[in-house]
Amino acid sequence: MDSDRLNRWITLAANFAVLVGIFLLIFELHQNTESAELQEAQNYVALSHELDFRIVDDPSLIDLFLKPEDARTPAELLRIDRWNFCQFRSWENVFFMHIKGVLDDGLWSGQEAFIRDMLKSNDELHDYYQKNRKYFSKSFITYLDRLLKAKA
């Protein structure tokens, strides 16, 4: 009889330990998710700074942006093309981080306002998108098209 009672207590303790283990696992997964979100937000900020500082650090890039499109050399046109592609690709990455729930809504609202303002105020960037939209994901194209319709 004592051994049955002992077995029940051992079983109860083992079940309790399993439950504690499950709760610890859930807690760890939550912590890992938060760490991943923070890392992605940091990557986003680093990429934004890198693109901005390239403009600041390279006077020729500033001059290139200010130069009329029809006055640019083929090499300059290619340089602007690659810049625009990188800009759109970084926006697409941020868009996916947001829809996957990795990027904070506050950071996203600022980024979305920036994208909207850039597409609204920069005809060259708008034209680049219209000519090269096929290189981006369908969901990002749908998103940008919605922004462009809202700007009209």
Side-chain angles (χ1 to χ4, degrees):
M1 189 80 165
D2 279 338
S3 91
D4 285 342
R5 191 172 179 179
L6 181 61
N7 282 339
R8 276 187 269 159
W9 278 107
I10 290 173
T11 302
L12 183 63
N15 289 338
F16 180 74
V18 168
L19 285 176
V20 169
I22 290 171
F23 284 119
L24 287 175
L25 180 62
I26 291 169
F27 177 75
E28 281 295 316
L29 287 173
H30 180 70
Q31 291 295 101
N32 286 342
T33 301
E34 284 183 359
S35 293
E37 289 173 358
L38 291 172
Q39 183 61 44
E40 287 304 318
Q42 185 64 29
N43 290 343
Y44 155 73
V45 169
L47 178 60
S48 294
H49 284 158
E50 181 182 340
L51 291 173
D52 290 341
F53 284 128
R54 281 200 179 159
I55 293 173
V56 171
D57 290 341
D58 188 349
S60 70
L61 192 54
I62 295 170
D63 291 339
L64 186 55
F65 284 126
L66 298 174
K67 193 175 199 180
E69 188 174 356
D70 59 353
R72 294 178 185 148
T73 67
E76 291 171 332
L77 289 170
L78 180 61
R79 191 173 180 199
I80 287 286
D81 179 80
R82 295 296 76 209
W83 176 269
N84 287 335
F85 182 81
C86 288
Q87 186 66 61
F88 275 97
R89 185 62 75 204
S90 73
W91 290 349
E92 184 177 37
N93 288 338
V94 169
F95 169 74
F96 277 107
M97 288 183 344
H98 175 69
I99 64 172
K100 295 296 182 187
V102 176
L103 188 67
D104 176 73
D105 286 339
L107 283 175
W108 172 247
S109 66
Q111 180 65 43
E112 186 175 45
F114 178 74
I115 293 169
R116 186 181 314 112
D117 290 349
M118 288 298 293
L119 290 173
K120 190 182 290 188
S121 65
N122 188 324
D123 290 336
E124 188 175 337
L125 203 56
H126 179 269
D127 293 345
Y128 177 86
Y129 168 65
Q130 295 302 333
K131 292 176 189 170
N132 296 283
R133 55 189 282 135
K134 64 184 175 238
Y135 300 120
F136 303 100
S137 69
K138 289 180 182 179
S139 59
F140 185 60
I141 290 169
T142 300
Y143 165 74
L144 287 180
D145 287 348
R146 186 172 42 84
L147 274 184
L148 290 171
K149 283 181 186 173
K151 94 170 200 174

